Amino acid sequence: MDLTLRVWRQASPDAPGRFETYPANDIDEHASLLEMLDIVNDRLLEQGIEPIAFDSDCREGICGTCGLMVDGRAHGPMENTAVCQVHMFNYSDGDTITIEPWRARGFPLLKDLIVDRSAFDEIIAAGGYISISAGSAPEANLTPVPKPVADRAFDAAACIGCGACVAACPNGAAQLFASAKVAQLNLLPQGQPERFDRAERVVGVMEEYFGSCTNYGECQVACPKDISIDFIAMLNKDYRRAKFSTRKAS
């Protein structure tokens, strides 16, 4: 199949950006969108043109590295799917596909389709762990976890940190990501000792980089792992309790 690509090109954060048009001819309909970009890049190299810079890693919808805006939609036309899992049979011969990077203050652009998502790393570092007493780790099976709780924690842990929620949010908010990372620990018995401190730390870092949630719900729709905005409500509740406890103690 023959396609036309409109791709955002920007040599560096300070350089002017622009859309450039490239042909993508003779593409197998079973190729993924990233494989199609690989083919186009090989052809650009043959012509002496710098290839399109984009991120990818596992290409199995797990790592979250491949985040792109495709035709104005985070991760492209399919629901609950990372862009690396979008295949060309979802398009028709002759289609034009527009590809651009995430657009959010918290994700500054580095080059072409690559953005800096290190702010997510800082959020995880602020609360993505549990503390234990010194000594040997307890046997996991000695801490009973009700199955509904375990299932809910697993739902939160499914977040791959791709940033689609931020890119889709009109406010550039990161509450869905942050709440998922907090909930996967706060729901479990092992996460209870630091539950409210964790919520306060994570929100504190998040607010340095991202906008505030006003319940548009676009994040949930764009999420390739179907993370529920119910986790945002849980984070807000824990954060309020944390701030109340801090104020009461002082």
Side-chain angles (χ1 to χ4, degrees), residues 2-13:
D2 296 336
L3 302 162
T4 300
L5 302 186
R6 290 182 67 247
V7 182
W8 185 261
R9 303 302 306 266
Q10 187 168 339
S12 67

Side-chain angles (χ1 to χ4, degrees), residues 24-200:
N25 298 326
D26 299 320
I27 304 297
D28 190 299
E29 67 173 5
H30 296 290
S32 71
L33 193 145
L34 296 189
E35 289 170 339
M36 180 267 294
L37 284 177
D38 289 336
I39 294 170
V40 170
N41 273 344
D42 287 342
R43 295 171 181 173
L44 291 178
L45 284 169
E46 292 174 356
Q47 301 171 43
I49 301 174
E50 186 173 359
I52 302 161
F54 66 94
D55 277 330
S56 70
D57 192 0
C58 74
R59 299 200 177 192
E60 295 179 349
I62 299 172
C63 70
T65 305
C66 65
L68 297 172
M69 296 294 289
V70 181
D71 291 331
R73 181 170 179 176
H75 286 297
M78 300 174 62
E79 293 185 0
N80 304 329
T81 303
V83 72
C84 59
Q85 298 172 299
V86 175
H87 291 80
M88 293 300 98
F89 53 68
N90 293 288
Y91 295 91
S92 300
D93 190 57
D95 279 354
T96 296
I97 305 175
T98 299
I99 306 174
E100 56 189 312
W102 292 153
R103 305 290 191 181
R105 178 176 61 87
F107 293 149
L109 188 140
L110 298 177
K111 182 177 181 180
D112 292 346
L113 305 177
I114 300 175
V115 299
D116 182 356
R117 290 183 292 183
S118 59
F120 271 15
D121 297 331
E122 292 191 34
I123 290 174
I124 293 175
Y129 58 87
I130 60 173
S131 298
I132 61 171
S133 301
S136 300
E139 168 58 42
N141 291 330
L142 295 179
T143 305
V145 181
K147 188 174 187 307
V149 173
D151 289 344
R152 192 67 172 144
F154 187 82
D155 289 342
C159 171
I160 59 177
C162 65
C165 51
V166 176
C169 177
N171 300 334
Q175 263 83 353
L176 190 65
F177 165 78
S179 65
K181 294 306 177 183
V182 168
Q184 71 185 58
L185 298 176
N186 280 6
L187 284 164
L188 298 176
Q190 296 90 336
Q192 296 309 303
E194 296 176 298
R195 175 171 183 168
F196 303 113
D197 287 341
R198 179 180 297 110
E200 188 172 15

